[in-house]
Every structure is written in C-alpha cells, then in structure tokens.
Amino acid sequence: MTAETVLYEGKAKKILATDSPEYIIQYFKDDATAFNAEKRAVIPGKGIVNNQISARVFSVLAEAGIPTHFVRTVSEREMMAKRVSIIPVEVVIRNRATGSLVARLGLEEGQVLNPPLIELFYKNDALGDPLITEDHIRLLKLADDAQIAEMKRLAQRVNAVLLPFFESRGLLLVDLKLEFGIANGQIVVADEISPDTCRLWDLQSGERLDKDRFRHDLGRVEEAYREVWRRVCA
Amino acid sequence: MTAETVLYEGKAKKILATDSPEYIIQYFKDDATAFNAEKRAVIPGKGIVNNQISARVFSVLAEAGIPTHFVRTVSEREMMAKRVSIIPVEVVIRNRATGSLVARLGLEEGQVLNPPLIELFYKNDALGDPLITEDHIRLLKLADDAQIAEMKRLAQRVNAVLLPFFESRGLLLVDLKLEFGIANGQIVVADEISPDTCRLWDLQSGERLDKDRFRHDLGRVEEAYREVWRRVCA
C-alpha cells in the first residue's frame, strides 16, 4: 500500500483501499457517537481495543463456520477485510431487554428474551436508523426475501456462538448489532463486533462494560473497554 | 336500557353497557385528538357523521362476508355492536405513502404502495402506539400466530372491498387503521371506520377529506367530514 485512499469514513471507522479490489482496510478510530450522533466524544484507545476484540470475535465465528469479512489484523488499529457491499439493514439480536426496546415497548429492564428477539433497523443516519419490518425492507428494496432469511439465520448462529464465548469470560452478551455485506454473492458478517456494537454485562456484578457507559455517562468508559479487551484478547 | 353504564371511555367514543352481556353501545363523541392526544379539539357534528359512516361501511363489509362487530344504528350518535375483547394491535393498511410512514422511511409523499403495505402498532397510549413487528407481538403475547395471520388477511380483504367502494364515491382510500376484537372465538373488525381512522383524498383534486385537516390545521374540518358523509351515506 502507498498513500491512503479513504473509500468511506464513518462515525467510528474509516475504510481504506488496498492494492487489491477485493480487500479493504478497516481503521478503528477513537471517536464515539450515540443517540444518532447527537452525543460525541473521543474515548482514548477505543479504536485499538475494538480492532483487537473484533479480530478475535471474527476468528471465533470463522472457526464455527460462520462467514465474516475479516481477513487479518494489519496494525494496532487496522484490520484487512473483504470488500463487501453492505446491506443497509442493521440486525439486532437481543437476549435481555434493555435500552431502546424497554423504552419503546415498556418491557422490564433486564427481562430475559427467550427465544432471542431479532429486530431490524434501516441503516440510514438521516432518518435516525428507524425500526423496520420485513415488509418495509421489501418496499425499500434493501434486501430480497432470501437475504433477509439468511441475515436472520446468521444472526441467530452468531448469537449462539458468542453467548458461551463471552460467558466463559465472565460476560453476559445482552444484545448485539450486526451488519452484513455481500462478497461474491455470499452474505458475510461485516463491520465490527465490539463493546461499541454489543452490550456486555459482568456476569457476577451486572456492571455494564460497553458503550452504555458513554451513552449514559456512567464513567470509567475506557476502563470498561479495556476490561473487555483483557477478558477476550489477553 | 335504563341509566347509562359506561364500560370504557376513549378519546373519540364511549362504550356503554346494554341489557345483554353480548352487546354494547358505541357512542361517538365530537372530541378529536391527534399526535398521541397532544393536540385536542371538538369538531362539532363529528360523532354523528362518524357513527353513520361507520355503520354504512360495516354494512358494506358484512355484505362482502367480512365479520364485524356492528349490529345496528340505535341513534344519531350510537350504534349497537357485539361486545368483543379488543386485540391491542392496530393494523394499518396503506395504498399510498403519507404521514408517519413518509417521516419514518423517507418515502415520497403519495407514492403508490402495491401491494398495499400492512403495518402493526401496539395499541398503548402510554407508549405512543409504537410500530411493532410480529416478533414483538409474540413477545408481548398480544396475539398468537393464527390471530396475527387472520388480522392481516382480514385487513387485506377490508381494503380490497373499500378501495372500490370509496372510489365509486370519488374518494381515494389512502390508508386505514383497523382494530379487531374477539367474540365467541371469532376475530371481527371492531372500533370504527371513518375519516378519523381512514385517510380519504378527493379522487379529482387530491383534497384531504379526513382527520389530516385537523392534524395539520388545514381548515374546513367539519366540512370535510360532512362531505365524506354526503358521498357515503346520503
């Protein structure tokens, strides 16, 4: 690689070109946003931690036979990944009720969701990533029926693999947000899997070790990200 | 009937007991609310007009073999109906994009929706009647899978009957909100079908002849309700 060509810059990552049209570099920034970017901050070291946690989690998924865009880590803040076409649907899978779900439907905080609840959101910053139904996805032509079914199937498998993975590290996987991309006609897990995109609670104390510390000003944000890194990567 | 026993008082109607446990009286008020009751007004004569429009529309549905709670009109503002257990899911069926759908998903105002789009909302004033998915309905135990399927099937049939009914009266049925009740194990169309619950546009001019005149301060609100009454009932 020579000079960086930025293909896309998001809120928490930059996507850089490589010499090959088939691969990109994901560069993890320390920038954090919440509530549709109304709240912004820098969490020092977050990019490093999230790159390494994501790399480890993607490796675990690959070992379980779940296709992801991850290729390899290339630096502290960078991973090489397959270049994919991102499906503009965020797939959230929830094992416990918290956050927007509790606010929207009046569920009890922490209520167990069994089977895990899958929710779909339209990945559209201008609209605030609204909740959508499969009928909305068809209307907006965001994905076809087979792709919707495959994303939901993969989300369930990812959750089934990561629940025990995190549990063995003393972490309850409360929920996670997945993005999917298409590469060579195959749907793969893309984006990142980190305390920015998962809710992780300490199994014993229930302490929140994820982006909710930033969202709700709970303090010790960097420490929480580092604690997850320590349990997952060290 | 002797003294009125009010079983339930809603924003636009009161439900009164009758001598029979199987029947109730729906009393249509002139009160109007919008935006989750943040906006309130009285629209003189609305109750009379909506009672009569609803009675006519329920009769048309019954003739088409669609079960409804309607029995007969008993006064200017009152209809007798079967006593039902209301399923707390509002079923909206849309032939054109407008209102909250346009705001939520960024669709073009007036865009034709073919097939008609069905959306489900949790009938819960405290939560602002949020959009919900079938998975949410199962989680909240608002209805079982067979009931969800039956409500969607009936909504499609109601729409298929009412589109030509209104069209022959110079009205475009843009969308409608249905509520369903259970009586003797059967799901029936309940509540009302009126310019409070349907969007109706003049076929020629596109003029809005429904509650949007009140919601958006378009003026001539009573006149619009009366015009629909004239076309449907007179």
Side-chain angles (χ1 to χ4, degrees):
Chain A
M1 267 167 289
T2 52
E4 278 188 357
T5 302
V6 178
L7 299 173
Y8 172 80
E9 179 150 6
K11 288 172 281 192
K13 291 187 294 297
K14 283 190 285 194
I15 305 297
L16 313 175
T18 68
D19 295 337
S20 162
E22 285 183 56
Y23 299 100
I24 53 91
I25 299 292
Q26 278 201 145
Y27 177 96
F28 287 74
K29 303 191 286 185
D30 287 344
D31 299 348
T33 64
F35 307 116
N36 200 29
E38 279 177 27
K39 181 167 184 168
R40 292 166 179 277
V42 168
I43 302 173
K46 175 173 81 76
I48 296 170
V49 160
N50 280 1
N51 182 38
Q52 294 179 21
I53 295 171
S54 289
R56 178 84 180 91
V57 171
F58 281 133
S59 300
V60 167
L61 296 180
E63 283 160 28
I66 297 170
T68 84
H69 73 153
F70 177 68
V71 178
R72 61 185 166 83
T73 304
V74 295
S75 79
E76 236 185 3
R77 290 182 179 273
E78 293 172 311
M79 64 169 58
M80 183 176 287
K82 287 180 197 154
R83 187 167 186 166
V84 299
S85 168
I86 290 284
I87 298 172
V89 173
E90 297 183 350
V91 180
V92 170
I93 185 159
R94 301 176 180 271
N95 298 301
R96 299 284 192 112
T98 190
S100 68
L101 179 64
V102 166
R104 261 187 284 121
L105 300 189
L107 297 174
E108 200 184 330
E109 176 70 22
Q111 180 183 325
V112 173
L113 304 171
N114 191 5
L117 178 69
I118 292 183
E119 295 186 318
L120 307 170
F121 295 86
Y122 183 13
K123 184 173 160 64
N124 183 314
D125 283 340
L127 297 171
D129 299 334
L131 177 73
I132 50 176
T133 67
E134 296 184 28
D135 284 338
H136 291 140
I137 292 176
R138 281 185 275 272
L139 170 63
L140 294 165
K141 297 186 168 56
L142 306 180
D144 65 27
D145 286 6
Q147 291 169 334
I148 297 169
E150 178 67 358
M151 287 192 288
K152 290 171 69 173
R153 189 184 73 84
L154 286 173
Q156 279 161 334
R157 287 190 62 202
V158 168
N159 187 54
V161 169
L162 295 186
L163 260 174
F165 171 79
F166 283 117
E167 191 173 326
S168 70
R169 285 150 184 85
L171 295 166
L172 173 64
L173 177 61
V174 172
D175 53 38
L176 78 161
K177 184 208 77 172
L178 295 171
E179 294 186 19
F180 293 90
I182 302 175
N184 302 318
Q186 188 190 26
I187 294 184
V188 302
V189 181
D191 194 48
E192 66 180 284
I193 298 179
S194 73
D196 270 10
T197 63
C198 300
R199 282 195 177 90
L200 296 162
W201 296 353
D202 182 84
L203 262 186
Q204 252 61 60
S205 67
E207 190 187 10
R208 282 143 200 260
L209 298 171
D210 55 54
K211 191 167 152 185
D212 271 347
R213 300 204 76 80
F214 161 64
R215 281 192 192 95
H216 304 302
D217 299 317
L218 303 179
R220 302 199 309 109
V221 182
E222 295 159 57
E223 290 81 347
Y225 279 77
R226 272 206 299 275
E227 178 60 22
V228 174
W229 174 84
R230 195 187 62 75
R231 296 196 198 180
V232 168
C233 301
Chain B
M1 265 166 294
T2 52
E4 279 188 355
T5 302
V6 177
L7 299 172
Y8 173 80
E9 179 152 6
K11 288 173 283 192
K13 290 188 293 297
K14 284 190 285 195
I15 305 297
L16 314 175
T18 68
D19 295 336
S20 162
E22 286 183 55
Y23 299 99
I24 53 92
I25 299 292
Q26 279 201 144
Y27 176 96
F28 287 74
K29 302 192 286 184
D30 287 345
D31 299 348
T33 64
F35 308 117
N36 200 29
E38 281 177 26
K39 181 168 184 169
R40 292 168 180 275
V42 168
I43 302 173
K46 175 172 82 73
I48 296 170
V49 160
N50 281 1
N51 183 38
Q52 294 180 20
I53 294 171
S54 289
R56 178 84 181 93
V57 171
F58 282 133
S59 300
V60 167
L61 296 180
E63 282 160 29
I66 298 170
T68 84
H69 72 152
F70 177 68
V71 178
R72 62 185 165 83
T73 304
V74 294
S75 79
E76 236 185 3
R77 290 181 180 272
E78 293 172 310
M79 65 169 58
M80 182 176 287
K82 287 179 198 156
R83 188 168 187 165
V84 300
S85 169
I86 290 285
I87 299 172
V89 173
E90 298 184 348
V91 180
V92 171
I93 184 158
R94 300 177 182 270
N95 299 301
R96 299 285 192 111
T98 190
S100 68
L101 178 64
V102 166
R104 261 186 285 122
L105 300 188
L107 297 175
E108 200 185 330
E109 175 70 23
Q111 180 183 324
V112 174
L113 303 171
N114 192 4
L117 178 70
I118 293 182
E119 296 186 318
L120 306 170
F121 296 85
Y122 183 12
K123 184 172 158 66
N124 184 313
D125 283 339
L127 296 171
D129 300 333
L131 177 74
I132 49 175
T133 66
E134 295 183 28
D135 284 338
H136 292 140
I137 293 177
R138 281 185 275 271
L139 170 63
L140 294 165
K141 297 187 169 54
L142 306 180
D144 64 28
D145 286 6
Q147 291 169 334
I148 297 170
E150 178 66 358
M151 287 192 288
K152 290 171 71 173
R153 189 184 73 85
L154 287 173
Q156 279 161 334
R157 287 191 61 203
V158 168
N159 187 55
V161 169
L162 295 186
L163 261 174
F165 171 79
F166 283 118
E167 191 174 325
S168 69
R169 285 150 183 84
L171 295 166
L172 173 65
L173 177 61
V174 171
D175 53 38
L176 78 162
K177 183 207 77 174
L178 295 172
E179 294 187 18
F180 293 91
I182 303 175
N184 302 319
Q186 187 190 28
I187 294 184
V188 302
V189 181
D191 194 46
E192 66 179 283
I193 298 179
S194 73
D196 269 11
T197 63
C198 301
R199 283 196 177 90
L200 296 162
W201 295 354
D202 182 84
L203 262 185
Q204 252 62 59
S205 67
E207 190 187 8
R208 282 143 202 262
L209 298 172
D210 55 54
K211 191 168 153 184
D212 271 349
R213 300 205 73 82
F214 162 63
R215 282 193 193 93
H216 304 302
D217 299 315
L218 303 179
R220 301 198 309 109
V221 181
E222 295 158 58
E223 289 82 347
Y225 279 77
R226 273 208 298 275
E227 178 60 21
V228 173
W229 174 84
R230 195 187 61 75
R231 296 195 196 182
V232 168
C233 299

